[in-house]
């Protein structure tokens, strides 16, 4: 294949023939996965909807909704600006240190927003070094902007989350078939115009995917917004639940959170439009980075370093300083339980990652093979858990498992499954898969979307069985997505807190629980060590992610 | 890109960590007593001492009270938990109301715990007491400025405008303080008080330690804090420029709250569970409360030296039912007053 071209398909690739051996089975498979994901969430929704009218809606609900909107829009804009801007800068230009910075810019992904948030506050708060210095110089009544505020929360969350947008946009800009770019140039479009009119529109689906990930993270965040005293709907769920001792009132609010999630998903669809771009190989020059000289080059370098310092270097240094200081006080550098926490953390993260990726590939394949609306809609449903706050998923799993237990006992199984499921690592893993299927599926789906549906149909018409298509075509071609998916899920799972807190059995603790127990009592210095463990555990997948991407780039473009 | 080695590596990691976590995959229980705890202060020391004295082994998991209670309810009769240990009387009252705690008949506990700090039916018992009172920067405030009868309500006076710092509305401490104000003065009056704080441009902080740091730095003059946060910060930094004022000593007394425990209704070892709670309320008082600078509930036990320096104080009688029942109203009131 040396021909190039972009086939903008107005029809979705799923709408193929709807008959054929094995396809109803594949459809059914997607539906089963969707049901497994949806059951706990539905349990919560039913609880919420079922109790409407029993309790008045909490006061201030309008303000909560507005705050949530403002935060989500703010963080989306922030990540678009920082992540999109930096992706653009490192792809379109060449400047000093660019080759290193390209990869380092992903590092803030390893620092969860709740950790970045508490470090930020410790530095900028009234008793922190910045304000103390200001007071020393300008007197005690110096005016400083409010640190605990919506803008500050937007800033911190944008710095923590921009790598999602950065990674996806950059991948999109690089993966564009070189031929497309060259064709546009040959037809007389200038470099800037080609970027604007050809490459950017082609990157739109990736941009939409990145932004929707960021918005879901923002929506379900609970710890960071609390530090900054920003009352979103997710905080409202907790507030109402803990404050009124009324679980049903909390589930009603959780339904509201889900409505937000639906809005995000709809927004993503809209932004993506009906665009499906299938790249076909082509050898060409492609986009050549323009060299920025002199001061402009160094300004670009400074921009990248600033983002990196704010999102990674400074917080990690601060944590290290605390950890060393704390070790000096207690005389030991490591907690004796350190190893155990790290192992538990990595175990849960790696199992979740494998399960999510396996399911994503299977679902992505099934959607393409079954060619039916049911499968496509069910696949959408599987990504829904990402928009549900961890605590709500956890409670849903509890309700669902307790129901299964009761049913088993009625059926005459003594003790049901008993302790096997409530408060077991199995329960944690189930809840994790529900939460993190979305990033895995999006990454895998993005890879599969680059396979023209004609390839699948050609294979089918040549008599290949769906299973053979999975092993010989879809799975191999989804490879880049699989690598990204594994790592994204691992990073997310290392950070997750509420689910472990709720479902863990006795004697099972992860690093995030450890941070939580200390942070909740404001032992920030003591919490620095487990926080560093989380960062370290999350850096592993980030590094692998980067190495994968680098190798792919140095080998030349992946032709799909 | 070749994810195959990556998948292999991830799978390897899984197997390795599974081997290392051993039996952790299926929630096992190995100790005699299992505790669900929403209290996080160095429990190991006190429980270790109990095990040394009795031979009864104890393990616990900690979490948030609301989630743990929901977990208890979902697990029902199958629950592995024997004891529910939590902070805030409202939570204890609520757990009892939901039928999750067993009624005990224990002369030892009735004798050790003052009447207002335990449940009339013996479903829960307070074990550690914290006071939520006024703290101030002595360079900026003369304690004579405080209203000695109605100290909390007095902070709504315009003379405190721009000088106050308090905890956020999400904090259980704020909620139960306001619930006790509703209990004391009625809703209308309590609303006026909170509106007065808001009108005084109260600065809201996310945690008690930050509050103390802000008072020390002089950016606030007055705050409302749990006494043990002050003790803890003083232990780390004896030069801290913050003093404590016992609120409402000429009136109803200082607002207090408790940590406490009850035996779980579905416990399969209620006898040992009761024994542990009895031990915590008697011989175990100091090991249980000293590490966190809390006051023992048992009058026979002495508070640790650092908080003994704060002096004796009169406490507002604790009405757990009001804390529990009025908490929802307190949340609503805070929202109505525009308190963030």
């Amino acid at each position: 294949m040396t021909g190039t071209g972009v086939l903008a398909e107005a029809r979705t690739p799923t709408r193929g023939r709807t008959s054929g051996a094995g396809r109803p089975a594949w459809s059914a498979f997607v539906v089963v996965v969707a049901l497994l994901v949806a059951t706990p969430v539905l349990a919560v929704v039913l609880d919420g909807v079922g109790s409407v009218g029993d309790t008045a809606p909490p006061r201030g609900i309008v303000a909560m909704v507005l705050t949530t909107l403002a935060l989500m829009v703010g963080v989306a804009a922030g990540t678009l600006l920082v992540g999109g801007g930096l992706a653009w800068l490192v792809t379109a230009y060449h400047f000093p240190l660019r080759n290193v910075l390209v990869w380092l810019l992903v590092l803030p992904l390893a620092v969860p927003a709740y950790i970045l948030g508490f470090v930020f506050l410790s530095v900028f708060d009234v008793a922190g070094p910045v304000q103390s210095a200001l007071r020393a110089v300008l007197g005690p009544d110096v005016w400083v902007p409010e640190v605990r505020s919506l803008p500050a929360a937007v800033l911190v969350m944008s710095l923590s989350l921009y790598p999602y947008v950065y990674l996806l946009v950059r991948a999109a800009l690089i993966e564009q078939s070189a031929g497309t770019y060259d064709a546009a140039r040959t037809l007389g479009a200038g470099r800037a115009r080609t970027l604007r009119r050809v490459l950017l529109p082609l990157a739109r689906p990736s941009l939409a995917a990145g932004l929707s990930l960021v918005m879901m993270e923002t929506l379900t965040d609970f710890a960071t917004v609390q530090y900054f005293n920003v009352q979103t709907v997710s905080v409202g769920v907790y507030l109402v639940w803990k404050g009124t001792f009324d679980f049903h009132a909390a589930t009603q609010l959780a339904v509201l959170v889900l409505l937000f999630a639906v809005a995000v998903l709809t927004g993503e669809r809209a932004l993506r439009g009906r665009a499906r771009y299938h790249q076909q190989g082509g050898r060409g020059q492609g986009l050549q980075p323009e060299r920025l000289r002199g001061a402009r080059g160094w300004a670009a370098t400074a921009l990248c370093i600033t983002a990196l310092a704010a999102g990674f270097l400074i917080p990690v240094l601060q944590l290290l300083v605390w950890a060393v200081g704390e070790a000096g006080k207690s005389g030991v550098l490591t907690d004796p339980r350190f190893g155990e926490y790290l192992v538990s953390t990595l175990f849960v993260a790696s199992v979740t990652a494998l399960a999510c990726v396996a399911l994503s590939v299977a679902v992505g394949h099934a959607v393409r093979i079954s060619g039916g609306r049911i499968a496509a809609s069910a696949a959408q449903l599987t990504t829904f858990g990402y928009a549900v706050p961890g605590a709500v998923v956890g409670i849903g799993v509890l309700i669902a498992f307790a129901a299964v237990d009761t049913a088993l006992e009625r059926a005459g199984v003594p003790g049901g499954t008993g302790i096997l499921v409530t408060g077991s690592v199995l329960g944690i893993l189930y809840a994790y898969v529900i939460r993190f299927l979305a990033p895995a599926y999006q990454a895998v789906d993005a890879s599969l979307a680059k396979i023209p549906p004609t390839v699948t149909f050609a294979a089918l018409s040549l008599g290949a069985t769906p299973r053979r298509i999975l092993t010989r075509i879809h799975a191999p071609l989804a490879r880049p997505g699989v690598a990204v998916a594994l790592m994204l899920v691992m990073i997310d799972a290392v950070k997750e807190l509420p689910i472990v807190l709720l479902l863990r059995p006795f004697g099972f603790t992860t690093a995030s629980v450890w941070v939580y127990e200390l942070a909740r009592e404001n032992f920030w210095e003591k919490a620095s060590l487990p926080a560093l463990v989380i960062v370290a555990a999350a850096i592993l997948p980030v590094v692998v992610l980067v190495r994968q991407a680098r190798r792919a780039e140095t080998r030349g473009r992946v032709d799909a | 890109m070749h994810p195959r080695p990556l998948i292999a590596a991830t799978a390897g990691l899984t197997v390795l960590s599974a081997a290392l976590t051993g039996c952790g995959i299926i929630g096992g229980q190995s100790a005699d007593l299992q505790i669900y705890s929403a209290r996080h202060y160095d429990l190991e020391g006190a429980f270790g001492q109990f095990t040394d004295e009795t031979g009864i082994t104890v393990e616990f998991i900690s979490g948030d009270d609301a989630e743990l209670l929901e977990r208890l309810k979902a697990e029902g009769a199958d629950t592995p938990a024997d004891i529910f240990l939590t902070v805030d009387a409202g939570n204890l009252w609520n757990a009892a109301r939901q039928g999750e705690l067993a009624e005990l008949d224990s002369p030892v506990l009735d004798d050790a715990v003052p009447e207002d700090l335990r449940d009339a039916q013996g479903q829960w018992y307070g074990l550690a007491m914290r006071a939520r009172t006024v703290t101030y920067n002595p360079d900026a405030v003369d304690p004579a400025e405080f209203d000695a009868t109605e100290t909390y309500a007095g902070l709504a006076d315009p003379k405190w405008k721009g000088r106050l710092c308090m905890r956020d509305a999400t904090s259980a401490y704020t909620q139960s303080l306001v619930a006790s104000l509703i209990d004391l003065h009625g809703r209308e009056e309590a609303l006026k008080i909170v509106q007065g704080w808001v009108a005084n441009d109260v600065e809201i902080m996310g945690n008690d330690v930050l509050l103390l740091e802000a008072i020390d730095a002089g950016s606030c003059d007055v705050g409302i804090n749990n006494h043990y946060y002050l003790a803890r910060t003083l232990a780390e930094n004896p030069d801290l420029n913050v003093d404590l004022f016992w609120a409402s000593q000429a009136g109803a007394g200082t607002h207090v709250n408790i940590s406490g425990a009850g035996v779980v209704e579905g416990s399969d070892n209620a006898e040992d569970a009761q024994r542990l709670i009895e031990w915590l309320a008697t011989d175990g008082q100091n090991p249980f409360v000293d590490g966190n600078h809390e006051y023992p509930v048992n009058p026979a036990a002495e508070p640790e030296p650092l908080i003994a320096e704060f002096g004796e104080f009169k406490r507002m009688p604790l009405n757990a039912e009001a804390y529990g029942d009025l908490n929802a109203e307190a949340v609503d009131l805070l929202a109505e007053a525009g308190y963030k």
Side-chain angles (χ1 to χ4, degrees):
Chain A
M1 272 302 278
T2 51
T4 65
V6 179
L7 322 170
E9 284 252 328
R11 293 186 321 148
T12 53
T14 53
R15 225 178 303 161
R17 298 168 309 163
T18 46
S19 59
R23 282 179 232 174
W26 282 105
S27 279
F29 166 77
V30 183
V31 171
V32 167
V33 173
L35 279 177
L36 278 175
V37 168
T39 304
V41 180
L42 276 177
V44 172
V45 170
L46 287 175
D47 193 296
V49 173
S51 61
V52 166
D54 301 353
T55 42
R59 197 187 292 271
I61 194 161
V62 177
M64 274 184 213
V65 169
L66 291 177
T67 306
T68 310
L69 273 176
L71 184 74
M72 283 167 75
V73 170
V75 176
T79 48
L80 184 62
L81 189 77
V82 180
L86 290 173
W88 180 255
L89 195 65
V90 298
T91 313
Y93 298 100
H94 206 293
F95 47 87
L97 298 178
R98 171 201 169 266
N99 292 348
V100 188
L101 284 168
V102 162
W103 305 115
L104 290 182
L105 282 172
V106 184
L107 283 177
L109 202 58
V111 185
Y114 60 87
I115 291 179
L116 190 64
F118 85 68
V119 176
F120 177 91
L121 285 179
S122 78
V123 174
F124 289 99
D125 222 331
V126 275
V130 174
Q131 288 204 37
S132 300
L134 279 175
R135 274 195 304 273
V137 177
L138 302 166
D141 294 327
V142 58
W143 182 87
V144 278
E146 183 59 57
V147 180
R148 239 165 261 280
S149 60
L150 185 71
V154 166
L155 177 71
V156 163
M157 291 177 99
S158 300
L159 280 172
S160 170
L161 296 172
Y162 84 79
Y164 286 115
V165 176
Y166 173 82
L167 270 175
L168 284 159
V169 171
R170 195 168 164 276
L173 290 175
I174 287 192
E175 282 181 354
Q176 297 312 340
S177 153
T180 314
Y181 179 83
D182 289 348
R185 294 301 304 272
T186 322
L187 292 169
R191 186 167 179 279
R193 187 178 149 91
T194 313
L195 283 171
R196 209 174 52 242
R197 301 294 305 277
V198 178
L199 293 194
L200 269 191
L202 286 175
R204 204 175 57 179
S206 295
L207 194 64
L211 282 181
S212 86
L213 278 182
V214 165
M215 284 174 112
M216 296 283 199
E217 288 269 352
T218 309
L219 177 66
T220 54
D221 175 273
F222 171 66
T224 322
V225 286
Q226 272 210 307
Y227 298 155
F228 287 91
N229 214 353
V230 174
Q231 283 190 20
T232 60
V233 187
S234 295
V235 175
V237 172
Y238 279 81
L239 254 183
V240 165
W241 182 14
K242 288 187 180 19
T244 64
F245 302 121
D246 185 352
F247 180 51
H248 302 300
T251 52
Q252 284 176 25
L253 264 180
V255 173
L256 192 66
V257 175
L258 289 176
L259 288 179
F260 266 96
V262 173
V264 170
L265 287 174
T266 318
E268 189 201 352
R269 298 269 102 174
L271 187 60
R272 210 180 254 211
R274 305 180 61 133
R276 287 282 183 286
Y277 301 116
H278 305 288
Q279 298 289 320
Q280 281 167 350
R283 300 268 176 271
Q285 280 293 297
L287 176 62
Q288 292 301 308
E290 185 185 339
R291 190 168 285 283
L292 292 173
R293 302 206 177 274
R296 287 181 63 199
W298 286 108
T301 310
L303 262 181
C304 294
I305 289 180
T306 306
L308 181 64
F312 184 81
L313 298 176
I314 294 173
V316 169
L317 269 175
Q318 173 70 74
L319 288 173
L320 278 170
V321 168
W322 277 339
V324 170
E326 197 54 39
K329 262 187 235 169
S330 54
V332 284
L333 187 61
T334 54
D335 192 293
R337 292 163 302 176
F338 186 89
E340 178 200 330
Y341 293 167
L342 183 63
V343 166
S344 311
T345 303
L346 288 175
F347 169 74
V348 178
S350 55
V351 175
T352 308
L354 286 173
C356 286
V357 168
L359 281 173
S360 301
V361 173
V363 168
H365 162 75
V367 167
R368 278 164 185 75
I369 211 84
S370 69
R373 288 217 162 163
I374 294 177
S377 316
Q380 274 305 304
L381 197 61
T382 59
T383 63
F384 206 68
Y386 200 62
V388 189
V392 177
V393 173
I395 294 288
V397 168
L398 267 181
I399 295 176
F401 276 172
V404 169
D405 260 8
T406 316
L408 279 175
E409 277 180 17
R410 286 217 183 100
V413 182
T417 50
I419 302 309
L420 188 74
V421 285
T422 58
S424 71
V425 180
L426 282 178
I428 295 179
L429 291 173
Y430 179 36
Y432 266 38
V433 169
I434 293 171
R435 272 286 276 129
F436 302 131
L437 203 51
Y441 183 71
Q442 297 213 331
V444 171
D445 190 53
S447 274
L448 286 175
K450 295 194 180 69
I451 308 170
T454 44
V455 172
T456 308
F457 296 141
L460 278 171
S461 64
L462 291 168
T465 59
R467 188 172 309 171
R468 192 174 158 83
I469 292 176
L470 171 66
T471 52
R472 301 298 301 278
I473 297 175
H474 287 162
L477 288 175
R479 275 206 319 237
V482 165
V484 172
L486 267 179
M487 295 302 120
L488 281 181
V489 174
M490 275 191 87
I491 293 164
D492 256 342
V494 164
K495 300 180 197 174
E496 170 68 36
L497 172 71
I499 288 177
V500 197
L501 218 47
L502 189 61
L503 298 173
R504 70 206 172 108
F506 285 94
F508 185 88
T509 305
T510 62
S512 57
V513 173
W514 192 14
V515 172
Y516 161 83
E517 286 179 0
L518 293 165
R520 167 190 161 109
E521 285 306 320
N522 318 320
F523 289 125
W524 291 125
E525 285 84 357
K526 284 201 176 84
S528 58
L529 185 64
L532 282 170
V533 171
I534 292 182
V535 172
I539 278 187
L540 282 176
V542 169
V543 169
V544 176
L545 199 63
V546 162
R547 289 191 46 189
Q548 287 279 343
R550 270 180 80 167
R551 217 175 299 147
E553 277 178 40
T554 48
R555 270 212 314 267
R557 293 199 171 72
V558 184
D559 283 346
Chain B
M1 283 208 237
H2 277 285
R4 202 160 303 164
L6 200 61
I7 291 175
T10 315
L13 190 66
T14 306
V15 173
L16 182 74
S17 46
L20 286 170
T21 43
C23 55
I25 309 304
I26 292 165
Q29 45 189 102
S30 49
D32 302 326
L33 284 176
Q34 271 78 27
I35 298 176
Y36 283 1
S37 166
R39 179 191 159 92
H40 304 261
Y41 316 104
D42 297 333
L43 296 171
E44 289 92 345
F47 292 156
Q49 208 167 318
F50 175 73
T51 305
D52 291 344
E53 288 181 26
T54 60
I56 300 166
T57 52
V58 179
E59 62 183 355
F60 64 93
I61 51 172
S62 46
D64 264 9
D65 37 66
E67 279 105 330
L68 287 172
L69 186 63
E70 214 52 48
R71 180 167 165 177
L72 273 177
K73 281 176 14 195
E75 286 166 345
D78 295 332
T79 186
D82 302 300
I83 290 179
F84 183 52
L85 176 66
T86 182
V87 289
D88 192 273
N91 288 324
L92 288 161
W93 173 84
N94 183 47
R97 190 189 55 163
Q98 309 248 7
E100 293 302 319
L101 300 177
E103 294 183 8
L104 301 189
D105 178 24
S106 166
V108 176
L109 284 168
D110 292 351
D111 196 40
V113 184
E115 203 172 344
D116 64 317
L117 304 182
R118 58 182 158 88
D119 177 52
Q121 275 72 47
Q123 288 185 287
W124 53 262
Y125 295 88
L127 297 168
M129 189 168 65
R130 69 271 306 272
R132 191 153 186 84
T133 190
V134 168
T135 48
Y136 63 96
N137 184 318
D139 295 344
V141 179
D142 173 1
E145 287 182 80
F146 293 117
D147 182 334
T149 316
E150 295 286 358
T151 310
Y152 304 107
L155 295 178
D157 187 300
K159 71 179 172 188
W160 298 111
K161 194 171 172 70
R163 300 168 70 187
L164 300 179
C165 286
M166 293 185 195
R167 271 297 295 272
D168 50 306
T170 54
S171 153
Y173 307 143
T174 306
Q175 291 170 10
S176 58
L177 177 62
V178 171
S180 75
L181 290 175
I182 296 173
D183 185 37
L184 208 58
H185 303 288
R187 190 177 194 282
E188 239 170 278
E189 193 59 34
L191 179 63
K192 281 207 189 88
I193 295 169
V194 178
Q195 281 170 333
W197 295 345
V198 175
N200 278 343
D201 295 333
V202 57
E203 187 167 345
I204 304 291
M205 303 256 169
N207 70 56
D208 272 50
V209 173
L210 285 166
L211 268 174
L212 289 165
E213 286 175 347
I215 296 169
D216 176 53
S219 63
C220 316
D221 295 353
V222 177
I224 296 181
N225 276 103
N226 285 1
H227 79 275
Y228 59 85
Y229 286 108
L230 178 60
R232 193 192 288 169
T233 318
L234 279 170
E236 282 189 4
N237 171 19
D239 304 332
L240 191 81
N241 199 16
V242 179
D243 282 354
L244 174 146
F245 179 84
W246 289 119
S248 306
Q249 290 301 286
T254 301
H255 171 80
V256 295
N257 209 329
I258 49 173
S259 287
V263 174
V264 172
E265 184 61 68
S267 165
D268 45 17
N269 190 357
E271 199 178 322
D272 283 347
Q274 179 168 335
R275 199 168 154 191
L276 173 56
I277 297 177
E278 285 173 354
W279 181 84
L280 287 172
T282 51
D283 297 355
Q285 275 281 275
N286 289 99
F288 187 66
V289 303
D290 286 0
N292 191 42
H293 308 287
E294 281 177 284
Y295 289 100
V297 291
N298 189 335
E302 289 294 325
E304 56 90 30
L306 212 163
I307 56 169
E309 277 181 34
F310 295 154
E312 301 268 321
F313 67 99
K314 173 182 158 189
R315 66 177 160 93
M316 193 189 294
L318 186 140
N319 180 350
E321 185 172 355
Y323 286 15
D325 222 11
L326 295 172
N327 208 66
E329 205 165 330
V331 173
D332 183 65
L333 186 152
L334 286 161
E336 187 182 347
Y339 186 106
K340 284 269 159 52

